[in-house]
Amino acid sequence: MSQTAASLLFELGTEELPPGALDRLSDALASGIVEGLDQAGIRHGRVRALGAPRRLAVHIEEVAVTQPDRAFERRGPAVAVAFDEHNNPTRAAEGFARSNQVSVEALERLETNEGAWLVYRGVDTGQATADLLPAIIQRALDALPIPKRMRWGDQSTEFVRPVHWVVALMDDAVVPMEIFGVASDRQSRGHRFHHPDPVTIARADDYEQALYRAHVVVDRHERREQIREAVRGEGERLGGRAVLDDDLLDEVTALVEWPVVLSGSFDETFLRVPPEALISSMQGHQRYFPVRDVDGQLLARFITIANIESRDPARVIAGNERVIRPRLADAAFFWDLDRKKPLSDRLDGLEQVIFQKSLGSLADKSRRVAGIARAYAERFDTDPDTAAHAATLSRADLLTEMVGEFPELQGVMGRYYAREQNESPRVADALDEIYRPRFSGDAIAGSPLGQLLAVAERADTLMGIFAIGKAPTGAKDPFALRRAAVGLIRTLIEGQHAINLAGLLREAAAWQPETLGAEGHVDEVVGFCLDRMRAMALEADYAPELFEAVRSALAPTDIEPLDFQRRLEACRAFAGLSAAGSLAAANKRIRNILRKAGDTGDAPVDPALLREPAERDLHEAVQSHTAPVQDLIERSAYTEALARLAELRAPVDRFFDDVMVMADDDSVRHNRLALLGALQSLFLAIADVSALPEPG
């Protein structure tokens, strides 16, 4: 470590932090401190955001011990105003010099196009980083994303939890500061039970090892990996595979400082309950990791992570087994009770549950989805009556006790109850599939009926919410419309359904309450969906120019997500061809020529007016390619079509090398424009390749 830099450690010790907020607060604190250092011009090295249930910490390497000196220039009055006719300084000059605490003679002149000005040039000496840190850290703490702060004791300050200690070090030196009424020092705290005594941090770089000796794994990423591996290994020891849910891993990581794996069992009679219900109970209520056997069947075992190495682990396990039993008994009770009443008998109850004030009840929404599904059933190779029936039942499980206790099981329980009540397997599965994809990366519905319901459901939601003026604004999206649009688009593309987006949304708009005038919002929702498609394309590493090339060639009313995706893939393949750059430049040139000439280029070409060999060759090439390319386009074989059009590179290049498009003869000029228009039309039938980047 050089004398000009030092490792910085800041730790804020608190009562147990909300587990769902630990990662967010830890990352935000590190970002805030780094932002403060950057604004102060203080260079630094690697940044690590650390954290555990009772602490937020940031460790930054190679932090400069002082700010760099900064040269500055302050402009004063114009020279004409600063001196009188005898070249004596005026009050303006003297005042400017006084404000900079120098004499007038120390001021310099700055010559500009607007005249000469007095200036003062100097150097601000950089402050010590240690002197700047208290304000930097306090600003970072004040900016943390804490929705509700609290006070404690007789303090007037507020934070998410009471603060008990503050560690602030640069190498081995304490950085003096007071945070939330607590003075900084080098005394941290270890595990609440294994090491209740203070832990002295000699140097910033010793922090993690010192806390590890005090039974605290302060690196949350390392702690998470320890838990994951421990749970995985315990699952194997039990003869199965642990169900490792990422959200549960994050939550457990935020709850323990010293993870210790334990496992227990429960009565096998509970396995008659659908496994999803048992898993929700174990994960949601107790934060246990369920275990499946090699065939995927749930075992009557669970894994838990303790925050202490007990001297009597058997007693801890027995306590966990005792706690889980009533939870599983509740799930079994709900399962038995709910099956006594068919889903169809619950439909009347949906009339009493409001979906949204202006859009009516859940029953109203089910009827709208059923109407859309019936209208598009045949496009999804599905019987219209079956589709409408499944859509009508799709929300009935919301009124069951099980879904009331575990909302995340909506649809899942509908599938189980429908099968118990002799609904067809197709209908039962669709009651679950209507909600897919449930989250980013989730699979779409597996069956055509499920895909139909998923599309109808999201189309109704999008049109209804836009119609009542609740479109997303900024980061706010209370109705999850972005997720709904992505789910709709993914289902149409991955399900291989050639559905016109505007037509689908017009159908959905027709089912909305007449007073809302939903039809007037169709274009807005199409644009919203296109924005989501663009985001999806960028995430999939499609260049922005590829998306714009396709979007520019299609009217909003002609958008079919599946067709759009095929064109997008074709453009990416075309962009990789050696002829792509030249043809993109040629199409851009054609577009500019036609625009400047005020000619649409859609007149027929007269072969008799083709005088130059290069234009005759191009006309012949365009004619020979038109029919096969159009045939490929009709079959949506866009990649092959663009590959055929790439063959036109040579005659196109010769045309622009040898032919003067804007000939003096009107008939010749218009004929050549018509030829260029015919060429451009072949490309525009797929995409506007002029939007693609030119090589070099």
Side-chain angles (χ1 to χ4, degrees):
M1 187 73 69
S2 69
Q3 295 181 348
T4 59
S7 286
L8 168 64
L9 169 68
F10 174 73
E11 180 193 51
L12 188 74
T14 68
E15 293 290 338
E16 276 75 6
L17 294 161
L22 178 60
D23 284 357
R24 184 173 67 253
L25 294 177
S26 180
D27 290 337
L29 178 59
S31 296
I33 293 176
V34 167
E35 181 180 353
L37 294 175
D38 290 343
Q39 289 177 350
I42 299 170
R43 61 176 178 78
H44 57 81
R46 186 172 70 135
V47 180
R48 299 183 66 209
L50 307 171
R54 295 197 299 151
R55 69 200 75 226
L56 296 172
V58 180
H59 181 256
I60 307 178
E61 299 174 358
E62 290 287 336
V63 177
V65 297
T66 61
Q67 281 180 302
D69 295 342
R70 294 183 177 183
F72 64 85
E73 179 181 278
R74 299 191 187 109
R75 183 185 293 195
V79 171
V81 176
F83 298 93
D84 61 19
E85 64 273 14
H86 303 295
N87 203 33
N88 295 317
T90 64
R91 289 184 177 180
E94 292 173 344
F96 178 62
R98 194 163 47 250
S99 70
N100 288 290
Q101 300 180 339
V102 296
S103 65
V104 173
E105 289 74 17
L107 300 176
E108 301 179 43
R109 297 192 181 195
L110 173 68
E111 299 289 340
T112 72
N113 293 332
E114 300 173 354
W117 306 80
L118 285 183
V119 297
Y120 174 63
R121 296 185 177 97
V123 175
D124 280 333
T125 302
Q127 292 181 261
T129 299
D131 294 337
L132 298 170
L133 278 175
I136 289 173
I137 289 173
Q138 188 63 62
R139 283 196 301 271
L141 290 168
D142 291 342
L144 290 181
I146 302 172
K148 188 174 183 180
R149 296 173 181 252
M150 63 178 292
R151 295 181 182 178
W152 59 95
D154 57 358
Q155 296 276 356
S156 60
T157 54
E158 297 179 339
F159 195 57
V160 63
R161 289 292 187 269
V163 174
H164 293 306
W165 74 88
V166 174
V167 175
L169 297 174
M170 289 194 71
D171 277 353
D172 59 353
V174 173
V175 181
M177 65 180 71
E178 185 175 291
I179 301 293
F180 300 126
V182 179
S184 62
D185 58 23
R186 63 176 72 251
Q187 300 299 312
S188 182
R189 306 290 187 275
H191 191 281
R192 188 184 290 277
F193 303 110
H194 286 307
H195 197 293
D197 297 329
V199 178
T200 299
I201 310 299
R203 298 178 62 85
D205 289 342
D206 297 340
Y207 175 64
E208 289 184 66
Q209 284 300 316
L211 282 183
Y212 190 84
R213 290 192 294 268
H215 283 73
V216 176
V217 181
V218 74
D219 185 327
R220 53 200 170 94
H221 302 295
E222 178 185 339
R223 197 166 65 251
R224 188 183 192 275
E225 184 61 17
Q226 283 186 12
I227 293 170
R228 190 186 73 82
E229 285 302 306
V231 170
R232 184 189 61 78
E234 186 67 7
E236 292 179 355
R237 191 187 70 80
L238 296 173
R241 288 193 293 265
V243 179
L244 286 163
D245 178 80
D246 285 341
D247 290 338
L248 181 58
L249 269 174
D250 290 340
E251 186 176 8
V252 172
T253 301
L255 284 168
V256 300
E257 293 184 322
W258 191 254
V260 178
V261 67
L262 299 169
S263 60
S265 61
F266 56 85
D267 194 327
E268 291 189 357
T269 60
F270 288 123
L271 294 178
R272 66 183 179 82
V273 178
E276 292 89 345
L278 300 180
I279 289 172
S280 285
S281 184
M282 284 188 273
Q283 291 179 336
H285 286 149
Q286 303 304 132
R287 303 183 181 94
Y288 292 164
F289 295 90
V291 182
R292 295 183 183 272
D293 65 19
V294 293
D295 296 323
Q297 300 300 309
L298 195 65
L299 295 175
R301 305 301 298 265
F302 64 85
I303 299 169
T304 185
I305 298 296
N307 191 34
I308 190 171
E309 291 181 358
S310 174
R311 296 175 182 173
D312 189 0
R315 179 175 294 184
V316 178
I317 292 170
N320 281 280
E321 291 174 342
R322 187 166 56 251
V323 169
I324 193 60
R325 181 176 178 80
R327 297 296 189 184
L328 300 182
D330 286 344
F333 173 76
F334 296 149
W335 169 243
D336 293 335
L337 180 64
D338 289 339
R339 287 184 296 159
K340 294 178 181 179
K341 186 175 183 178
L343 291 175
S344 56
D345 289 355
R346 299 179 186 273
L347 296 178
D348 289 343
L350 295 177
E351 303 282 0
Q352 312 306 317
V353 183
I354 298 299
F355 167 64
Q356 201 283 334
K357 182 173 63 175
S358 300
L359 297 173
S361 66
L362 289 179
D364 293 324
K365 179 165 181 58
S366 294
R367 282 190 284 270
R368 292 195 298 269
V369 174
I372 301 167
R374 182 182 289 278
Y376 275 82
E378 293 182 359
R379 303 286 299 276
F380 284 75
D381 296 323
T382 300
D383 173 63
D385 291 338
T386 301
H389 175 62
T392 302
L393 289 180
S394 63
R395 280 179 171 69
D397 68 342
L398 279 172
L399 300 183
T400 63
E401 297 293 331
M402 188 76 82
V403 175
E405 180 70 14
F406 303 107
E408 68 273 15
L409 295 181
Q410 181 181 357
V412 173
M413 295 313 301
R415 168 166 52 86
Y416 279 106
Y417 294 138
R419 288 195 170 190
E420 285 278 321
Q421 294 153 15
N422 296 320
E423 292 285 350
S424 73
R426 292 176 62 231
V427 169
D429 290 345
L431 300 189
D432 183 10
E433 292 179 330
I434 187 174
Y435 299 105
R436 294 184 184 175
R438 296 176 184 267
F439 50 85
S440 178
D442 189 22
I444 67 167
S447 71
L449 176 57
Q451 292 166 10
L452 170 61
L453 296 190
V455 166
E457 161 72 21
R458 288 159 176 78
D460 173 75
T461 297
L462 286 164
M463 284 312 312
I465 302 302
F466 267 83
I468 62 173
K470 301 291 185 180
T473 56
K476 296 182 178 179
D477 187 8
F479 293 95
L481 297 188
R482 294 185 179 94
R483 186 172 64 193
V486 169
L488 185 153
I489 294 161
R490 280 191 55 204
T491 302
L492 292 179
I493 293 174
E494 295 173 31
Q496 298 288 294
H497 300 293
I499 302 296
N500 179 276
L501 190 57
L504 171 67
L505 294 172
R506 279 194 295 271
E507 178 68 30
W511 286 93
Q512 305 301 319
E514 291 184 9
T515 55
L516 297 180
E519 292 84 353
H521 295 272
V522 169
D523 291 346
E524 183 182 5
V525 180
V526 169
F528 179 77
C529 290
L530 275 171
D531 289 343
R532 304 283 73 71
M533 289 171 64
R534 185 179 192 277
M536 292 166 63
L538 295 180
E539 187 175 343
D541 292 329
Y542 286 93
E545 296 89 350
L546 297 178
F547 185 88
E548 293 306 321
V550 178
R551 184 171 184 170
S552 299
L554 296 170
T557 53
D558 294 334
I559 299 294
E560 292 182 7
L562 175 59
D563 179 76
F564 196 104
Q565 179 63 26
R566 289 170 174 166
R567 292 169 185 260
L568 196 58
E569 292 169 358
C571 283
R572 180 151 68 179
F574 175 76
L577 300 177
S578 59
S582 176
L583 289 171
N587 273 271
K588 190 176 297 183
R589 188 173 179 181
I590 292 169
R591 184 187 61 189
N592 292 334
I593 289 172
L594 292 175
R595 183 176 65 247
K596 289 179 181 178
D599 195 314
T600 60
D602 56 0
V605 177
D606 183 353
L609 293 174
L610 299 174
R611 299 177 178 176
E612 302 291 339
E615 62 181 329
R616 289 196 293 270
D617 290 346
L618 179 59
H619 178 249
E620 181 180 339
V622 169
Q623 279 196 315
S624 65
H625 280 73
T626 297
V629 166
Q630 288 177 341
D631 178 64
L632 289 168
I633 291 173
E634 288 176 6
R635 293 189 280 115
S636 299
Y638 301 120
T639 300
E640 293 88 337
L642 283 176
R644 289 294 301 272
L645 289 175
E647 298 170 358
L648 297 176
R649 175 183 180 176
V652 168
D653 287 347
R654 283 197 300 273
F655 177 88
F656 282 115
D657 287 342
D658 299 348
V659 177
M660 174 71 70
V661 177
M662 305 306 289
D664 293 334
D665 188 314
D666 286 349
S667 60
V668 172
R669 181 172 67 254
H670 288 300
N671 200 54
R672 288 172 179 172
L673 291 173
L675 175 58
L676 293 181
L679 172 64
Q680 183 186 53
S681 295
L682 280 179
F683 283 94
L684 284 177
I686 304 169
D688 181 5
V689 298
S690 69
L692 300 180
E694 296 182 31

